[in-house]
Amino acid sequence: MAAKPRSIRIGRAHIQVLVYVTVCIAVFLLPSFIDNDFLLNRIARYLVLSILAMALALSWGYAGILNLGQALSFGLGSYCMAMALKLRTVPVHTGAEGLPDFMVWNNIETLPLFWQPFYSLTFAIIAGLLVPALCAAVLGWFMFRGRITGVYVAIITLAALVVGNLLIIDQQPYTGGFNGITDLAQLELFGFEFDAYSSSTYYLVASGLSISLLTALAITRSKTGLILQAIRDQENRVRFFGYDVAAYQNFAFSVSAAIAGLAGMLYTVVMEFASPTFLGVPLSLAVVIWVAVGGRQSLLGAMLGAILVAGMQGALSESETFLDTWTLIMGAMFVLVVLFLPKGLAGLVDIVRDRIAGARGRPVDDEESAGDGAAAKTAGAAQ
């Protein structure tokens, strides 16, 4: 099959960037049409979850790493932000700069050493990004250097999530246990105060979403992104070309964790608390469903899948009509999408494009149509 002219590839890349930028602008313009603080807060919550889904799409859809423990990074980021905001409250029992209430209830007399750096909000934000990334890098080093792939990666990451969740719950004097960390102060950054139900918080989330989306897009459009896709399709072939496959896999795994940590921090600002449910198995599996529905090989598809599914879940579960059947409806939707749209809702774009090309009598010359290994060949040629 003849290769596509370079001008066509560049044109499609520009269109893709334009679409992503347009979506980001639309997200920023949305509050102009909404005059309801509660609804704005809910949409901000869905946008945060879409960042989490996009992070999984980066590792799963582009690098072939199914991380069933994605919620671990999300929860770590959430707790980093919650610890900083908790230290900005005035405790009822001990007064200003005293101990958090749950520590007093558990007879803790001095602030633990690992809590003290969180008096600095800058430290908390950096920790919210780096702690999940470092945890992922350490775990990834053992997995990918050991050439562990496929379902075994999924099992290991799920086990890591369960361990993290149990640690948070078990260390109640330091983490709040089942209750989590509540009664948080509002985030103040660069002179702005971010009330959870204000437009300022929405714009903070929109900024986080735009930065994450465009950064992830830049990675996927780079040579590194091409190699990651080649590893996903033909890992051994890429290794034969001389690339350090484990290093690339660990990079994608760690960047995905950092983005999930950012989502966790924003979620704490929007929800005004941190909970061990943020590190729970149900949330982690829900993210996989969002990405599968939206399209795991599309950052935008995963983002829209999270908004669609989480939005439908919220609407159906609050409706008296679907109160007992909303889980059945959501399950049926997931099964139908997986059966008839293997590439998720984002695959509809390819279907429409192929049919238009067929109607015009043009051959379908997409790189993906060349079959698995197309990216590996391109990566080898780029070496």
Side-chain angles (χ1 to χ4, degrees), residues 239-324:
R239 187 174 287 111
F240 175 77
F241 284 136
Y243 290 105
D244 189 339
V245 171
Y248 280 97
Q249 288 176 317
N250 212 0
F251 170 76
F253 194 56
S254 302
V255 171
S256 173
I259 295 175
L262 172 64
M265 287 192 288
L266 292 173
Y267 204 63
T268 292
V269 175
V270 172
M271 299 298 289
E272 300 182 300
F273 68 93
S275 165
T277 58
F278 296 172
L279 297 86
V281 173
L283 175 62
S284 214
L285 296 182
V287 179
V288 175
I289 294 175
W290 300 338
V291 176
V293 170
R296 64 180 180 177
Q297 294 182 10
S298 168
L299 299 172
L300 205 55
M303 170 188 151
L304 297 178
I307 295 173
L308 177 66
V309 177
M312 285 185 62
Q313 180 178 332
L316 292 175
S317 61
E318 294 174 3
S319 168
E320 292 185 5
T321 306
F322 300 104
L323 189 60
D324 298 324

Side-chain angles (χ1 to χ4, degrees), residues 52-360:
L52 179 60
M54 185 195 61
L56 180 62
L58 181 64
S59 67
W60 185 22
Y62 286 87
I65 304 167
L66 176 54
N67 180 5
L68 288 184
Q70 188 76 353
L72 177 61
S73 302
F74 182 77
L76 290 174
S78 173
Y79 270 81
C80 286
M81 178 58 72
M83 291 165 72
L85 297 182
K86 186 65 178 176
L87 292 178
R88 279 163 172 70
T89 60
V90 179
V92 176
H93 303 87
T94 54
E97 298 186 1
L99 292 174
D101 46 13
F102 62 86
M103 290 187 185
V104 177
W105 300 334
N106 287 277
N107 299 320
I108 300 295
E109 297 181 351
T110 58
L111 190 67
L113 192 61
F114 70 92
W115 266 78
Q116 294 182 9
F118 288 91
Y119 277 118
S120 167
L121 184 60
T122 302
F123 175 87
I125 293 174
I126 294 174
L129 295 172
L130 289 187
V131 170
L134 289 175
C135 289
V138 172
L139 183 61
W141 191 89
F142 287 103
M143 289 193 302
F144 304 129
R145 291 292 171 190
R147 298 193 180 184
I148 297 173
T149 59
V151 67
Y152 299 104
V153 171
I155 293 173
I156 290 173
T157 51
L158 183 62
L161 169 67
V162 173
V163 170
N165 182 271
L166 290 177
L167 279 174
I168 291 289
I169 294 174
D170 185 63
Q171 297 300 315
Q172 181 170 337
Y174 308 107
T175 63
F178 278 110
N179 297 322
I181 303 177
T182 58
D183 297 327
L184 305 180
Q186 291 180 354
L187 175 65
E188 293 185 22
L189 203 60
F190 305 120
F192 294 97
E193 190 172 84
F194 296 94
D195 184 295
Y197 292 88
S198 68
S199 58
S200 60
T201 297
Y202 177 89
Y203 287 122
L204 179 68
V205 171
S207 301
L209 172 64
S210 300
I211 293 172
S212 303
L213 186 63
L214 296 179
T215 301
L217 177 63
I219 292 174
T220 60
R221 300 298 307 180
S222 67
K223 180 182 176 182
T224 298
L226 187 64
I227 295 171
L228 288 173
Q229 294 172 63
I231 292 172
R232 177 199 64 198
D233 294 340
Q234 291 287 346
E235 181 178 327
N236 289 331
R237 184 180 296 180
V238 176
R239 187 174 287 111
F240 175 77
F241 284 136
Y243 290 105
D244 189 339
V245 171
Y248 280 97
Q249 288 176 317
N250 212 0
F251 170 76
F253 194 56
S254 302
V255 171
S256 173
I259 295 175
L262 172 64
M265 287 192 288
L266 292 173
Y267 204 63
T268 292
V269 175
V270 172
M271 299 298 289
E272 300 182 300
F273 68 93
S275 165
T277 58
F278 296 172
L279 297 86
V281 173
L283 175 62
S284 214
L285 296 182
V287 179
V288 175
I289 294 175
W290 300 338
V291 176
V293 170
R296 64 180 180 177
Q297 294 182 10
S298 168
L299 299 172
L300 205 55
M303 170 188 151
L304 297 178
I307 295 173
L308 177 66
V309 177
M312 285 185 62
Q313 180 178 332
L316 292 175
S317 61
E318 294 174 3
S319 168
E320 292 185 5
T321 306
F322 300 104
L323 189 60
D324 298 324
T325 58
W326 70 269
T327 53
L328 182 63
I329 295 173
M330 297 301 297
M333 185 187 73
F334 175 66
V335 171
L336 289 174
V337 170
V338 171
L339 286 177
F340 297 103
L341 291 172
K343 293 184 179 179
L345 297 177
L348 288 172
V349 176
D350 293 334
I351 293 174
V352 172
R353 187 186 63 194
D354 292 347
R355 289 190 176 180
I356 292 175
R360 293 179 177 177

